[in-house]
Amino acid sequence: MNDQDFAKIIELITQRTGIIPRDSHIIGIKNYINKRLKEIPEDNALDYYSLLCASNEEMIALINSATVNETYFFREEAQFQLLQSKILPELLEKSLIKRLKIWSAACSSGEEIYSIMLLADSMGIKTECIASDINTKVLTACNDGKYKKKAVRTVDGAAFHHLLEPYKLAGGGYEFSVDMRKRVSCRQINLSQLQDFPKNQNLIFIRNVFIYFSSEMKKQILTKITKESLVPGGYLFVSMNEIASIDSMELPPDLEKVSDGKVFYFRKKFQAGVL
């Protein structure tokens, strides 16, 4: 495949997902395509771009290969410490809700949503959890609820590793019960299409995604989330490493940036006259 044809495919990925692949990911995408070209019939391989446009299944497989899915339990521990000490108690205190609605909007293989749910459980908080991703392969892993040792890091998140102990396997790794897995609703959601976003969420995590979007796409997604997904007073967390990449001009008027020590996050403002 020549450079011009490959560039068209990268552009197609961006059109379909909003993702602008970094140079470090370009190599992996190219390797996947070259491998795939050896597998499919020669007449289709000659025009892989047309095949992608015609076959949704082929496009999904390419998107699965193009997305980055590195994650682990209780990643960015400082955010979970803030959830435990301030935010979760505050949400319950100021709300009459029976269940806390939580959306992990780029859930990858699910470590994030299970981490939040385990923390809430330990505090006696009932939850209604949604885990979404554009990648169908990682959604299957999230739904299966089985994880290897590498899903836990030695340092980051260590203060909360005890919450995983009931699910630790004798041979290493972790496996959640059927009842635990049923409490997480796994959905394929393409954030760039701005469709089917969950409504009335109290807490949204959308970490390590905005770094792959254009400024205009970030603005559209943040506006959609603020207008339709977050309840007034609801919280939005992005990765601590990407908070600086979100410009104030990309924030909708009702979404404010807040700092608590070293942890930055966003909160939807209350309407005038509403506590």
Side-chain angles (χ1 to χ4, degrees), residues 27-245:
I27 296 175
I29 296 172
K30 182 174 287 188
N31 289 339
Y32 168 81
I33 293 174
N34 287 334
K35 177 177 177 294
R36 186 70 184 116
L37 289 176
K38 297 176 182 178
E39 298 172 343
I40 59 181
E42 186 175 347
D43 53 341
N44 284 333
L46 293 175
D47 191 2
Y48 185 60
Y49 179 88
S50 296
L51 178 61
L52 288 171
C53 294
S55 171
N56 186 56
E57 183 178 347
E58 194 69 43
M59 191 69 215
I60 288 174
L62 176 62
I63 290 172
N64 286 352
S65 75
T67 51
V68 180
N69 302 295
E70 180 184 358
T71 187
Y72 50 90
F73 286 105
F74 301 103
R75 186 177 186 178
E76 297 189 309
E77 184 177 309
Q79 292 184 338
F80 284 92
Q81 290 174 333
L82 183 63
L83 285 178
Q84 182 183 51
S85 64
K86 178 181 178 180
I87 290 179
L88 291 182
E90 182 178 286
L91 281 171
L92 289 180
E93 180 183 349
K94 294 184 178 181
S95 177
L96 298 177
I97 59 172
K98 294 182 179 180
R99 292 182 183 274
L100 199 65
K101 292 187 176 182
I102 303 168
W103 176 26
S104 173
C107 70
S108 188
S109 45
E111 288 91 332
E112 180 176 272
I113 193 63
Y114 284 114
S115 294
I116 302 171
M117 188 168 68
L118 287 171
L119 176 59
D121 284 354
S122 73
M123 299 173 68
I125 300 172
K126 295 181 179 180
T127 58
E128 186 176 317
C129 298
I130 296 173
S132 73
D133 205 283
I134 192 173
N135 187 316
T136 58
K137 187 175 181 179
V138 296
L139 283 175
T140 298
C142 179
N143 196 51
D144 288 344
K146 298 178 182 179
Y147 299 94
K148 297 180 179 180
K149 289 182 179 179
K150 66 179 182 180
V152 170
R153 299 298 168 90
T154 304
V155 179
D156 193 21
F160 299 97
H161 288 171
H162 65 281
L163 298 178
L164 288 163
E165 284 300 315
Y167 310 99
K168 193 171 184 178
L169 299 173
Y174 304 84
E175 182 175 355
F176 293 109
S177 65
V178 174
D179 288 341
M180 285 285 287
R181 301 200 305 270
K182 284 183 177 180
R183 293 172 55 197
V184 177
S185 174
C186 296
R187 307 180 188 177
Q188 185 188 27
I189 295 179
N190 183 342
L191 295 171
S192 72
Q193 298 302 311
L194 305 176
Q195 296 176 346
D196 303 321
F197 282 20
K199 306 290 193 297
N200 301 317
Q201 300 297 302
N202 304 106
L203 178 64
I204 297 175
F205 270 54
I206 180 170
R207 302 192 294 182
N208 300 296
V209 173
F210 285 119
I211 53 176
Y212 300 107
F213 290 146
S214 67
S215 178
E216 180 58 29
M217 182 57 65
K218 285 187 284 187
K219 183 176 181 179
Q220 290 180 23
I221 292 173
L222 287 168
T223 299
K224 176 83 170 182
I225 286 175
T226 304
K227 183 178 180 180
E228 299 185 14
S229 296
L230 272 179
V231 299
Y235 293 86
L236 170 67
F237 279 83
V238 302
S239 170
M240 294 169 67
N241 293 326
E242 66 184 342
I243 192 79
S245 70

Side-chain angles (χ1 to χ4, degrees), residues 252-270:
D254 290 341
L255 192 66
E256 60 181 345
K257 183 178 179 180
V258 184
S259 65
D260 196 308
K262 296 182 179 180
V263 180
F264 288 84
Y265 53 91
F266 299 99
R267 192 179 190 191
K268 182 175 179 178
K269 298 177 182 178
F270 287 98

